[in-house]
Amino acid sequence: MTTKQILYIVGFVVASMGFFSCENNRSYAELLNDERQSCNAFLCNFRLADVPADSVFEVGENAPFYKLDPDGNVYMQVLKAGDRKNNKARTSQTIYFRYTRYNLNYWYNNDHAWTSSGGNADDMSAATTSFQYNDFSRQSSVEWGAGIQMPLHYLGIDCEVNLIVKSQYGRSDEISYVIPFFYHLRYFPSKV
């Protein structure tokens, strides 16, 4: 066999593998549709509301999920509002948080069964997590995405929320997976 023939065969095999693998993968549009369906199925169990003009939120497990952005990528249920008047986040302030998160696509596709997708809420020996509030020039803020910072636009640092975060507003290393997450979050200010 000549080098030209070997290259032709290798090229054909690589092209064939690419064709067949593309056939089995879902398009980005299909993944976005799955994400939308998962979120809608979850949120249909709750009341939905826009952010109140006076920023006075209903609080508790029966509170509505508030739509935090115009496109519906982030929804927040306030469990504890915190003290916004005396404990408001400042730009670039380090904010620590404890969280548990759940994959909503898994929940939707598995008869609404929950499986934790990680977090540090229940394990105080787990590494701390933080971001610099509203400062996306910092890696820690970019890493966690804009979604988990959004409650602090409206609530005190000592708040506790449930949050739906679609992939575009989620962790930067997970955006391409197009997985929405349900978060349970508690925020804490830095001591400095």
Side-chain angles (χ1 to χ4, degrees):
M1 240 190 226
T2 67
T3 304
K4 189 175 181 179
Q5 290 173 322
I6 292 172
L7 290 175
Y8 177 77
I9 292 170
V10 169
F12 178 77
V13 170
V14 169
S16 297
M17 288 173 48
F19 174 77
F20 290 116
S21 66
C22 287
E23 195 173 291
N24 292 329
N25 289 333
R26 307 203 55 213
S27 73
Y28 186 66
E30 290 171 320
L31 295 173
L32 287 172
N33 187 50
D34 292 347
E35 179 180 58
R36 183 184 50 75
Q37 287 178 344
S38 298
C39 290
N40 288 346
F42 179 80
L43 288 169
C44 78
N45 297 304
F46 298 92
R47 289 182 294 132
L48 300 179
D50 290 321
V51 171
D54 60 3
S55 292
V56 176
F57 293 90
E58 287 184 52
V59 177
E61 292 182 7
N62 294 319
F65 270 85
Y66 294 96
K67 183 178 176 181
L68 297 187
D69 74 300
D71 297 323
N73 289 305
V74 181
Y75 288 85
M76 169 182 74
Q77 182 184 48
V78 181
L79 301 175
K80 179 182 168 193
D83 183 1
R84 180 162 165 76
K85 183 178 178 184
N86 297 310
N87 202 12
K88 182 179 177 186
R90 299 177 317 276
T91 297
S92 298
Q93 179 180 6
T94 299
I95 305 294
Y96 293 97
F97 61 98
R98 291 275 176 191
Y99 73 99
T100 305
R101 71 180 191 161
Y102 304 90
N103 178 326
L104 282 177
N105 283 348
Y106 180 90
W107 172 86
Y108 181 70
N109 292 313
N110 291 281
D111 297 321
H112 302 170
W114 287 114
T115 297
S116 174
S117 293
N120 62 3
D122 298 325
D123 183 2
M124 292 304 164
S125 67
T128 59
T129 47
S130 66
F131 55 82
Q132 280 66 43
Y133 175 68
N134 216 23
D135 184 352
F136 291 96
S137 66
R138 304 283 185 90
Q139 177 57 34
S140 64
S141 294
V142 172
E143 172 188 354
W144 287 98
I148 67 164
Q149 294 191 29
M150 292 177 93
L152 297 178
H153 299 330
Y154 308 100
L155 306 171
I157 296 172
D158 50 341
C159 67
E160 181 176 354
V161 299
N162 287 328
L163 204 64
I164 302 295
V165 180
K166 289 185 179 177
S167 58
Q168 297 91 331
Y169 282 65
R171 288 184 52 108
S172 62
D173 61 343
E174 297 176 345
I175 291 173
S176 64
Y177 300 126
V178 193
I179 297 172
F181 284 97
F182 171 81
Y183 282 85
H184 177 238
L185 289 153
R186 292 177 294 139
Y187 300 92
F188 306 94
S190 61
K191 299 292 184 188
V192 178

